[in-house]
Protein backbone atom coordinates (compact mmCIF):
# COMPACT_ATOMS: atom_id res chain seq x y z
CA UNK A 1 0.00 0.00 0.00
CA UNK A 2 3.04 2.30 -0.06
CA UNK A 3 2.06 3.62 -3.50
CA UNK A 4 -1.60 4.19 -2.60
CA UNK A 5 -2.82 7.25 -0.67
CA UNK A 6 -5.26 6.80 2.24
CA UNK A 7 -8.95 6.93 1.37
CA UNK A 8 -10.52 10.37 1.14
CA UNK A 9 -7.43 12.39 0.23
CA UNK A 10 -6.19 13.68 -3.09
CA UNK A 11 -2.90 14.48 -4.82
CA UNK A 12 -2.89 17.88 -6.50
CA UNK A 13 -0.90 18.33 -9.72
CA UNK A 14 -1.25 19.22 -13.38
CA UNK A 15 -4.53 20.58 -14.74
CA UNK A 16 -6.49 20.00 -11.52
CA UNK A 17 -3.88 21.83 -9.45
CA UNK A 18 -4.03 24.67 -11.96
CA UNK A 19 -7.82 24.91 -11.54
CA UNK A 20 -7.58 24.89 -7.76
CA UNK A 21 -4.87 27.58 -7.78
CA UNK A 22 -7.00 29.69 -10.14
CA UNK A 23 -10.05 29.45 -7.85
CA UNK A 24 -7.97 30.35 -4.80
CA UNK A 25 -6.47 33.31 -6.66
CA UNK A 26 -9.95 34.65 -7.50
CA UNK A 27 -10.97 34.30 -3.85
CA UNK A 28 -7.87 36.07 -2.54
CA UNK A 29 -8.13 38.91 -5.05
CA UNK A 30 -11.80 39.48 -4.23
CA UNK A 31 -11.21 39.40 -0.46
CA UNK A 32 -8.55 42.09 -0.91
CA UNK A 33 -11.12 44.43 -2.48
CA UNK A 34 -13.26 43.98 0.66
CA UNK A 35 -10.25 45.13 2.72
CA UNK A 36 -9.81 41.69 4.27
CA UNK A 37 -6.40 40.44 5.36
CA UNK A 38 -5.21 36.86 5.15
CA UNK A 39 -4.67 34.73 8.24
CA UNK A 40 -2.98 31.33 8.48
CA UNK A 41 -3.66 29.30 11.61
CA UNK A 42 -2.09 25.96 12.65
CA UNK A 43 -3.30 22.76 11.04
CA UNK A 44 -4.02 21.38 14.53
CA UNK A 45 -5.34 22.87 17.76
CA UNK A 46 -6.10 21.72 21.29
CA UNK A 47 -9.12 19.43 21.09
CA UNK A 48 -11.04 21.42 23.69
CA UNK A 49 -11.19 24.41 21.31
CA UNK A 50 -13.44 22.46 18.94
CA UNK A 51 -15.36 20.73 21.72
CA UNK A 52 -16.35 24.08 23.24
CA UNK A 53 -16.50 26.14 20.07
CA UNK A 54 -18.03 23.76 17.52
CA UNK A 55 -20.15 21.89 20.10
CA UNK A 56 -20.00 18.53 21.90
CA UNK A 57 -23.25 17.30 20.29
CA UNK A 58 -22.40 18.11 16.67
CA UNK A 59 -21.57 15.46 14.07
CA UNK A 60 -18.20 17.14 13.60
CA UNK A 61 -17.12 16.62 17.22
CA UNK A 62 -18.89 13.32 17.84
CA UNK A 63 -18.05 11.50 14.60
CA UNK A 64 -15.71 13.37 12.27
CA UNK A 65 -12.68 14.80 14.09
CA UNK A 66 -9.16 13.42 13.72
CA UNK A 67 -8.02 13.50 17.35
CA UNK A 68 -4.83 12.09 18.84
CA UNK A 69 -2.61 12.38 21.89
CA UNK A 70 0.78 13.96 21.27
CA UNK A 71 4.03 12.96 22.95
CA UNK A 72 3.34 15.37 25.78
CA UNK A 73 0.03 13.68 26.57
CA UNK A 74 -2.04 16.56 25.16
CA UNK A 75 -5.22 15.92 23.17
CA UNK A 76 -4.73 17.46 19.72
CA UNK A 77 -7.17 17.64 16.80
CA UNK A 78 -6.57 18.32 13.11
CA UNK A 79 -8.83 21.28 12.43
CA UNK A 80 -12.19 20.25 10.98
CA UNK A 81 -13.09 23.85 10.04
CA UNK A 82 -11.45 27.27 10.03
CA UNK A 83 -13.55 29.51 12.26
CA UNK A 84 -12.63 28.24 15.74
CA UNK A 85 -8.88 28.52 15.04
CA UNK A 86 -9.28 32.00 13.57
CA UNK A 87 -11.22 33.16 16.64
CA UNK A 88 -8.60 31.64 18.94
CA UNK A 89 -5.90 33.57 17.04
CA UNK A 90 -8.01 36.75 17.22
CA UNK A 91 -8.06 36.46 21.01
CA UNK A 92 -4.49 35.25 21.56
CA UNK A 93 -3.00 37.95 19.31
CA UNK A 94 -5.12 40.72 20.88
CA UNK A 95 -6.67 41.70 17.57
CA UNK A 96 -9.61 43.15 19.52
CA UNK A 97 -7.29 46.02 20.50
CA UNK A 98 -7.34 47.17 16.86
CA UNK A 99 -10.12 49.41 15.51
CA UNK A 100 -13.26 47.34 14.84
CA UNK A 101 -14.24 45.55 12.74
CA UNK A 102 -11.54 42.99 12.06
CA UNK A 103 -11.97 41.34 8.66
CA UNK A 104 -10.00 38.16 7.95
CA UNK A 105 -9.93 35.53 5.23
CA UNK A 106 -8.09 32.24 4.84
CA UNK A 107 -7.51 29.36 2.48
CA UNK A 108 -6.90 26.37 4.70
CA UNK A 109 -6.84 22.60 4.87
CA UNK A 110 -9.52 20.92 6.98
CA UNK A 111 -9.96 17.32 8.07
CA UNK A 112 -13.17 15.38 8.67
CA UNK A 113 -13.64 11.64 8.92
CA UNK A 114 -16.70 11.09 6.74
CA UNK A 115 -17.67 9.07 3.69
CA UNK A 116 -15.79 10.48 0.70
CA UNK A 117 -18.02 11.64 -2.16
CA UNK A 118 -18.02 14.10 -5.03
CA UNK A 119 -16.70 17.43 -3.82
CA UNK A 120 -16.22 16.16 -0.26
CA UNK A 121 -12.97 14.61 0.96
CA UNK A 122 -11.53 13.72 4.36
CA UNK A 123 -8.71 16.16 3.72
CA UNK A 124 -10.18 19.16 1.95
CA UNK A 125 -9.62 22.88 1.51
CA UNK A 126 -11.76 25.83 2.52
CA UNK A 127 -11.92 29.47 1.60
CA UNK A 128 -13.31 31.21 4.67
CA UNK A 129 -14.10 34.71 5.86
CA UNK A 130 -14.44 36.07 9.42
CA UNK A 131 -15.97 39.50 10.12
CA UNK A 132 -15.47 40.27 13.81
CA UNK A 133 -16.84 43.15 15.88
CA UNK A 134 -20.21 44.20 14.42
CA UNK A 135 -23.78 43.37 15.49
CA UNK A 136 -25.25 45.07 12.42
CA UNK A 137 -27.01 42.97 9.74
CA UNK A 138 -24.75 44.86 7.33
CA UNK A 139 -21.95 42.54 8.52
CA UNK A 140 -23.95 39.56 7.19
CA UNK A 141 -24.61 41.47 3.98
CA UNK A 142 -20.86 42.08 3.61
CA UNK A 143 -19.91 38.40 3.77
CA UNK A 144 -22.95 37.26 1.76
CA UNK A 145 -22.10 39.86 -0.89
CA UNK A 146 -18.52 38.59 -1.05
CA UNK A 147 -19.66 34.97 -1.44
CA UNK A 148 -22.25 35.89 -4.09
CA UNK A 149 -19.73 37.98 -6.01
CA UNK A 150 -17.15 35.20 -5.95
CA UNK A 151 -19.69 32.65 -7.18
CA UNK A 152 -20.59 34.96 -10.07
CA UNK A 153 -16.91 35.69 -10.77
CA UNK A 154 -16.19 31.97 -11.03
CA UNK A 155 -18.92 31.61 -13.65
CA UNK A 156 -21.38 29.49 -11.63
CA UNK A 157 -25.07 30.01 -12.37
CA UNK A 158 -26.98 27.18 -10.68
CA UNK A 159 -26.55 28.58 -7.15
CA UNK A 160 -29.12 30.28 -4.94
CA UNK A 161 -28.85 31.95 -1.54
CA UNK A 162 -30.99 30.44 1.25
CA UNK A 163 -31.28 32.25 4.59
CA UNK A 164 -32.84 31.58 7.98
CA UNK A 165 -32.66 32.82 11.55
CA UNK A 166 -32.15 30.40 14.43
CA UNK A 167 -32.42 33.12 17.06
CA UNK A 168 -30.29 33.85 20.10
CA UNK A 169 -30.06 32.05 23.47
CA UNK A 170 -33.03 34.10 24.73
CA UNK A 171 -35.48 32.78 22.15
CA UNK A 172 -33.84 29.37 21.69
CA UNK A 173 -35.16 28.23 25.08
CA UNK A 174 -38.81 28.40 24.01
CA UNK A 175 -37.95 26.86 20.67
CA UNK A 176 -36.02 23.98 22.24
CA UNK A 177 -38.95 23.27 24.55
CA UNK A 178 -41.34 23.10 21.59
CA UNK A 179 -38.94 21.00 19.53
CA UNK A 180 -38.30 18.58 22.38
CA UNK A 181 -42.06 18.12 22.90
CA UNK A 182 -42.40 17.28 19.20
CA UNK A 183 -39.41 14.90 19.15
CA UNK A 184 -40.68 12.98 22.16
CA UNK A 185 -43.70 11.95 20.11
CA UNK A 186 -41.33 10.33 17.59
CA UNK A 187 -38.55 9.26 19.93
CA UNK A 188 -38.79 5.54 19.18
CA UNK A 189 -38.24 6.18 15.44
CA UNK A 190 -35.16 8.37 15.91
CA UNK A 191 -31.64 7.00 15.53
CA UNK A 192 -29.74 6.26 18.79
CA UNK A 193 -27.56 9.36 18.37
CA UNK A 194 -30.58 11.63 17.98
CA UNK A 195 -32.32 10.09 20.99
CA UNK A 196 -29.27 11.16 22.98
CA UNK A 197 -29.03 14.55 21.31
CA UNK A 198 -32.65 15.48 21.91
CA UNK A 199 -31.95 15.57 25.65
CA UNK A 200 -28.77 17.67 25.39
CA UNK A 201 -29.28 19.82 22.29
CA UNK A 202 -32.56 19.18 20.42
CA UNK A 203 -31.66 21.41 17.46
CA UNK A 204 -28.88 19.02 16.45
CA UNK A 205 -31.55 16.43 15.56
CA UNK A 206 -32.64 18.70 12.68
CA UNK A 207 -29.14 18.42 11.25
CA UNK A 208 -29.11 14.59 11.32
CA UNK A 209 -28.34 12.89 7.98
CA UNK A 210 -30.12 9.60 8.77
CA UNK A 211 -33.09 9.34 6.33
CA UNK A 212 -35.60 8.31 9.02
CA UNK A 213 -34.64 11.28 11.18
CA UNK A 214 -34.74 13.66 8.22
CA UNK A 215 -38.27 12.53 7.49
CA UNK A 216 -39.37 13.09 11.09
CA UNK A 217 -37.98 16.63 11.35
CA UNK A 218 -39.75 17.77 8.17
CA UNK A 219 -42.78 18.68 10.28
CA UNK A 220 -40.87 19.84 13.37
CA UNK A 221 -41.33 23.37 14.77
CA UNK A 222 -39.24 26.03 13.03
CA UNK A 223 -36.91 28.49 14.74
CA UNK A 224 -38.29 31.44 12.79
CA UNK A 225 -41.63 31.10 14.63
CA UNK A 226 -39.96 31.52 18.03
CA UNK A 227 -37.78 34.59 17.48
CA UNK A 228 -37.83 37.33 20.09
CA UNK A 229 -38.29 40.95 19.03
CA UNK A 230 -34.58 41.69 18.64
CA UNK A 231 -33.87 38.61 16.52
CA UNK A 232 -37.00 39.19 14.42
CA UNK A 233 -36.05 42.82 13.75
CA UNK A 234 -32.48 41.76 12.90
CA UNK A 235 -33.76 39.22 10.37
CA UNK A 236 -36.24 41.68 8.84
CA UNK A 237 -33.50 44.28 8.42
CA UNK A 238 -31.22 41.69 6.79
CA UNK A 239 -33.94 40.74 4.30
CA UNK A 240 -34.61 44.41 3.53
CA UNK A 241 -30.91 45.08 2.90
CA UNK A 242 -30.53 42.06 0.62
CA UNK A 243 -33.63 43.09 -1.31
CA UNK A 244 -32.46 46.68 -1.73
CA UNK A 245 -29.02 45.49 -2.86
CA UNK A 246 -30.66 43.11 -5.36
CA UNK A 247 -29.10 39.98 -3.86
CA UNK A 248 -31.76 37.29 -4.50
CA UNK A 249 -32.56 34.99 -1.57
CA UNK A 250 -35.05 32.45 -0.33
CA UNK A 251 -36.07 32.01 3.32
CA UNK A 252 -35.41 28.35 4.12
CA UNK A 253 -36.54 27.41 7.63
CA UNK A 254 -34.82 24.03 7.37
CA UNK A 255 -31.33 25.57 7.65
CA UNK A 256 -29.81 25.33 11.13
CA UNK A 257 -26.16 24.63 10.15
CA UNK A 258 -24.18 21.79 11.69
CA UNK A 259 -22.13 23.72 14.24
CA UNK A 260 -23.32 24.93 17.64
CA UNK A 261 -21.75 28.36 17.53
CA UNK A 262 -24.32 29.87 15.16
CA UNK A 263 -26.83 32.48 16.38
CA UNK A 264 -29.43 34.54 14.53
CA UNK A 265 -28.58 34.51 10.80
CA UNK A 266 -27.59 31.30 9.03
CA UNK A 267 -27.25 30.98 5.27
CA UNK A 268 -26.25 28.60 2.52
CA UNK A 269 -25.63 28.86 -1.20
CA UNK A 270 -27.13 25.72 -2.77
CA UNK A 271 -27.73 24.39 -6.28
CA UNK A 272 -30.94 22.99 -7.76
CA UNK A 273 -29.98 19.47 -6.60
CA UNK A 274 -29.72 20.64 -3.00
CA UNK A 275 -25.92 20.48 -2.76
CA UNK A 276 -24.38 23.18 -0.56
CA UNK A 277 -21.52 25.19 -2.03
CA UNK A 278 -21.06 27.64 0.83
CA UNK A 279 -22.42 27.94 4.35
CA UNK A 280 -22.14 30.49 7.10
CA UNK A 281 -23.89 32.86 9.44
CA UNK A 282 -23.57 34.82 12.66
CA UNK A 283 -21.88 33.48 15.79
CA UNK A 284 -22.09 36.18 18.43
CA UNK A 285 -21.37 33.79 21.32
CA UNK A 286 -18.35 31.95 19.95
CA UNK A 287 -15.65 34.29 21.24
CA UNK A 288 -17.28 34.32 24.69
CA UNK A 289 -17.34 30.51 24.61
CA UNK A 290 -13.59 30.45 23.96
CA UNK A 291 -12.73 33.28 26.41
CA UNK A 292 -15.36 34.18 28.99
CA UNK A 293 -13.75 37.62 29.50
CA UNK A 294 -14.65 38.64 25.94
CA UNK A 295 -18.03 39.08 24.26
CA UNK A 296 -17.57 40.14 20.64
CA UNK A 297 -20.03 39.47 17.78
CA UNK A 298 -18.85 37.71 14.62
CA UNK A 299 -20.11 36.53 11.25
CA UNK A 300 -18.54 34.55 8.43
CA UNK A 301 -18.68 31.62 6.03
CA UNK A 302 -16.75 28.64 4.74
CA UNK A 303 -16.63 27.54 1.11
CA UNK A 304 -15.12 24.21 0.08
CA UNK A 305 -12.60 24.47 -2.76
CA UNK A 306 -13.24 20.87 -3.85
CA UNK A 307 -16.97 21.56 -3.84
CA UNK A 308 -16.40 24.64 -6.02
CA UNK A 309 -14.41 22.58 -8.52
CA UNK A 310 -17.16 19.95 -8.52
CA UNK A 311 -19.79 22.62 -9.25
CA UNK A 312 -17.65 24.15 -12.00
CA UNK A 313 -17.22 20.77 -13.68
CA UNK A 314 -20.91 19.91 -13.28
CA UNK A 315 -21.95 23.17 -14.95
CA UNK A 316 -19.28 22.82 -17.66
CA UNK A 317 -17.64 26.15 -16.83
CA UNK A 318 -14.48 26.64 -18.87
CA UNK A 319 -11.56 27.91 -16.81
CA UNK A 320 -8.45 29.62 -18.23
CA UNK A 321 -6.06 27.05 -19.67
CA UNK A 322 -2.73 26.24 -18.05
CA UNK A 323 0.10 28.46 -19.21
CA UNK A 324 2.45 26.85 -21.70
CA UNK A 325 6.08 27.83 -22.38
CA UNK A 326 6.56 31.09 -24.23
CA UNK A 327 9.79 29.72 -25.67
CA UNK A 328 11.58 26.42 -26.02
CA UNK A 329 15.34 26.75 -26.33
CA UNK A 330 16.75 23.72 -28.08
CA UNK A 331 20.43 22.82 -27.66
CA UNK A 332 22.57 21.51 -30.52
CA UNK A 333 25.92 20.11 -29.43
CA UNK A 334 27.64 19.80 -26.04
CA UNK A 335 29.72 22.95 -26.56
CA UNK A 336 26.52 25.07 -26.73
CA UNK A 337 24.95 23.64 -23.55
CA UNK A 338 26.24 26.12 -20.93
CA UNK A 339 25.75 29.25 -23.03
CA UNK A 340 22.29 28.14 -24.19
CA UNK A 341 21.24 27.50 -20.59
CA UNK A 342 22.58 30.90 -19.55
CA UNK A 343 20.36 32.40 -22.26
CA UNK A 344 17.39 30.42 -20.89
CA UNK A 345 17.82 32.00 -17.45
CA UNK A 346 18.34 35.49 -18.91
CA UNK A 347 15.01 35.24 -20.75
CA UNK A 348 13.30 33.80 -17.65
CA UNK A 349 14.42 36.89 -15.71
CA UNK A 350 11.96 38.88 -17.86
CA UNK A 351 9.09 36.82 -16.41
CA UNK A 352 8.74 34.48 -19.37
CA UNK A 353 8.15 30.73 -19.20
CA UNK A 354 11.11 29.08 -20.89
CA UNK A 355 11.90 25.40 -21.29
CA UNK A 356 14.97 23.64 -22.67
CA UNK A 357 16.47 20.18 -23.24
CA UNK A 358 17.70 18.15 -20.26
CA UNK A 359 17.56 14.74 -21.97
CA UNK A 360 20.23 15.10 -24.68
CA UNK A 361 17.59 14.58 -27.36
CA UNK A 362 18.21 15.00 -31.08
CA UNK A 363 17.02 18.24 -32.68
CA UNK A 364 14.09 16.38 -34.27
CA UNK A 365 13.09 14.90 -30.90
CA UNK A 366 13.42 18.32 -29.24
CA UNK A 367 11.09 19.87 -31.81
CA UNK A 368 8.60 17.08 -31.18
CA UNK A 369 8.84 17.61 -27.43
CA UNK A 370 8.41 21.39 -27.78
CA UNK A 371 5.21 20.76 -29.73
CA UNK A 372 3.91 18.34 -27.07
CA UNK A 373 4.35 20.83 -24.22
CA UNK A 374 2.67 23.59 -26.22
CA UNK A 375 5.66 25.91 -26.60
CA UNK A 376 4.62 29.03 -28.50
CA UNK A 377 8.02 29.59 -30.10
CA UNK A 378 11.15 27.50 -30.56
CA UNK A 379 14.78 28.45 -31.09
CA UNK A 380 17.68 26.04 -31.56
CA UNK A 381 21.06 27.18 -30.20
CA UNK A 382 24.22 25.57 -31.53
CA UNK A 383 27.83 26.64 -32.16
CA UNK A 384 26.89 28.50 -35.36
CA UNK A 385 24.15 30.54 -33.64
CA UNK A 386 26.45 31.45 -30.78
CA UNK A 387 29.20 32.53 -33.17
CA UNK A 388 26.98 34.93 -35.14
CA UNK A 389 24.88 35.99 -32.13
CA UNK A 390 21.59 35.24 -33.87
CA UNK A 391 19.20 32.34 -34.42
CA UNK A 392 15.99 31.46 -36.24
CA UNK A 393 12.87 31.59 -34.01
CA UNK A 394 9.97 29.43 -35.17
CA UNK A 395 6.37 30.36 -34.38
CA UNK A 396 4.79 26.96 -33.65
CA UNK A 397 1.28 28.12 -34.54
CA UNK A 398 2.08 29.53 -37.99
CA UNK A 399 5.36 27.78 -38.82
CA UNK A 400 6.89 31.16 -39.67
CA UNK A 401 10.62 31.54 -38.90
CA UNK A 402 12.37 34.82 -38.11
CA UNK A 403 16.06 35.45 -37.55
CA UNK A 404 16.53 37.29 -34.26
CA UNK A 405 19.57 38.58 -32.40
CA UNK A 406 20.09 36.49 -29.26
CA UNK A 407 20.39 39.70 -27.23
CA UNK A 408 16.98 40.83 -28.51
CA UNK A 409 15.24 37.48 -27.97
CA UNK A 410 13.27 38.59 -24.85
CA UNK A 411 11.80 41.55 -26.76
CA UNK A 412 9.85 39.11 -28.98
CA UNK A 413 7.49 38.56 -26.06
Amino acid sequence: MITQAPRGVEDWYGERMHKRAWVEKQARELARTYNMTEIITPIFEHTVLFQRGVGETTDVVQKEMYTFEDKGGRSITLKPEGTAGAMRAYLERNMYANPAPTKLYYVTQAFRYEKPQSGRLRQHHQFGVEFVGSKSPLAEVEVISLAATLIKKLGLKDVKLHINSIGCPNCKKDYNDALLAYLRKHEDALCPTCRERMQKNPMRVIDCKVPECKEIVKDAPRTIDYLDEECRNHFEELKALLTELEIPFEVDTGIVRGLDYYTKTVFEFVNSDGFTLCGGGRYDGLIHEIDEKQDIPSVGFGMGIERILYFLEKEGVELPAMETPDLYVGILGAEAKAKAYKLVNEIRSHGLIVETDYMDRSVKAQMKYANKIGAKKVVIIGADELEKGAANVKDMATGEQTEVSLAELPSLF
Side-chain angles (χ1 to χ4, degrees):
M1 303 295 284
I2 293 174
T3 58
Q4 185 174 337
R7 188 169 183 233
V9 301
E10 189 168 354
D11 296 310
W12 294 90
Y13 65 97
E15 184 69 29
R16 188 157 169 78
M17 182 67 236
H18 164 71
K19 290 179 179 179
R20 174 183 148 191
W22 182 83
V23 167
E24 292 179 2
K25 181 182 178 186
Q26 306 312 304
R28 283 188 166 95
E29 288 180 351
L30 182 62
R32 182 185 62 81
T33 68
Y34 280 70
N35 195 33
M36 294 186 172
T37 56
E38 186 168 10
I39 183 171
I40 299 175
T41 59
I43 209 69
F44 56 82
E45 300 271 1
H46 294 292
T47 302
V48 68
L49 174 67
F50 302 115
Q51 290 172 333
R52 291 188 61 178
V54 174
E56 289 273 16
T57 58
T58 62
D59 272 354
V60 171
V61 170
Q62 288 190 334
K63 301 177 180 180
E64 298 173 3
M65 294 203 312
Y66 280 89
T67 298
F68 59 94
E69 191 174 281
D70 70 6
K71 293 183 178 181
R74 293 167 289 257
S75 182
I76 297 295
T77 295
L78 299 179
K79 63 180 173 185
E81 53 88 51
T83 295
M87 294 300 100
R88 189 269 311 147
Y90 173 87
L91 290 165
E92 184 175 356
R93 308 304 169 189
N94 300 323
M95 295 186 207
Y96 50 80
N98 299 327
T102 297
K103 300 197 289 184
L104 306 169
Y105 78 89
Y106 47 81
V107 177
T108 187
Q109 296 182 70
F111 301 83
R112 293 192 188 181
Y113 188 85
E114 54 189 343
K115 185 178 179 181
Q117 52 187 288
S118 297
R120 187 188 295 274
L121 296 170
R122 289 175 176 171
Q123 179 191 14
H124 58 278
H125 302 80
Q126 289 184 355
F127 168 60
V129 161
E130 312 295 345
F131 187 119
V132 188
S134 172
K135 291 183 177 181
S136 168
L138 198 57
E140 283 101 310
V141 171
E142 171 93 336
V143 299
I144 287 172
S145 168
L146 192 155
T149 303
L150 178 58
I151 287 166
K152 184 177 180 180
K153 187 178 181 183
L154 295 174
L156 292 169
K157 293 182 173 59
D158 181 23
V159 186
K160 188 171 185 180
L161 170 63
H162 288 208
I163 65 171
N164 189 27
S165 177
I166 60 173
C168 64
N170 291 331
C171 45
K172 274 185 179 178
K173 185 182 182 306
D174 289 341
Y175 172 70
N176 281 339
D177 290 344
L179 179 58
L180 184 57
Y182 172 85
L183 294 175
R184 279 178 176 148
K185 298 175 185 176
H186 306 274
E187 186 171 358
D188 292 342
L190 293 172
C191 72
T193 302
C194 282
R195 286 200 291 273
E196 180 183 343
R197 283 177 177 164
M198 63 181 279
Q199 307 301 329
K200 297 178 180 179
N201 189 350
M203 193 183 290
R204 289 280 63 83
V205 177
I206 293 179
D207 197 48
C208 184
K209 304 300 187 291
V210 176
E212 291 79 7
C213 297
K214 289 175 73 173
E215 189 63 31
I216 289 169
V217 301
K218 277 184 180 178
D219 298 319
R222 296 305 190 194
T223 57
I224 202 167
D225 297 321
Y226 292 82
L227 300 180
D228 63 17
E229 185 177 2
E230 182 195 350
C231 291
R232 191 180 305 111
N233 290 342
H234 187 101
F235 194 51
E236 291 302 319
E237 185 179 350
L238 171 63
K239 290 190 292 182
L241 285 167
L242 291 173
T243 300
E244 191 168 344
L245 293 165
E246 299 182 346
I247 300 176
F249 66 89
E250 175 183 318
V251 176
D252 182 348
T253 59
I255 299 175
V256 296
R257 302 297 297 150
L259 310 176
D260 277 357
Y261 52 60
Y262 286 107
T263 54
K264 293 183 179 175
T265 307
V266 287
F267 64 85
E268 293 180 352
F269 285 86
V270 300
N271 74 353
S272 54
D273 295 327
F275 286 104
T276 301
L277 171 66
C278 168
R282 178 169 285 280
Y283 22 93
D284 289 347
L286 177 57
I287 285 179
H288 183 71
E289 190 66 38
I290 297 172
D291 181 355
E292 293 179 355
K293 298 189 293 255
Q294 302 288 347
D295 192 5
I296 304 170
S298 311
V299 61
F301 69 76
M303 183 182 289
I305 302 295
E306 286 83 352
R307 185 58 65 91
I308 291 173
L309 294 173
Y310 171 73
F311 272 50
L312 289 168
E313 187 175 332
K314 191 172 186 295
E315 289 194 31
V317 178
E318 291 287 334
L319 301 188
M322 286 180 68
E323 289 185 283
T324 57
D326 298 296
L327 178 67
Y328 179 86
V329 177
I331 301 173
L332 178 59
E335 67 277 10
K337 192 174 290 187
K339 290 184 178 179
Y341 189 75
K342 184 178 180 183
L343 181 63
V344 166
N345 277 342
E346 286 176 1
I347 301 172
R348 283 172 176 165
S349 71
H350 292 268
L352 301 172
I353 303 174
V354 185
E355 191 54 281
T356 190
D357 177 50
Y358 308 97
M359 310 300 291
D360 294 329
R361 294 181 173 100
S362 67
V363 171
K364 183 178 179 181
Q366 289 186 63
M367 292 297 293
K368 194 173 181 180
Y369 174 72
N371 189 53
K372 278 185 177 180
I373 63 174
K376 298 177 182 70
K377 298 182 187 295
V378 175
V379 62
I380 303 295
I381 306 295
D384 290 347
E385 286 77 15
L386 290 172
E387 187 175 337
K388 67 179 180 179
N392 288 325
V393 178
K394 181 177 181 179
D395 186 307
M396 296 296 279
T398 65
E400 182 182 346
Q401 295 198 55
T402 308
E403 186 174 84
V404 177
S405 162
L406 297 183
E408 295 176 357
L409 206 48
S411 65
L412 274 182
F413 307 92

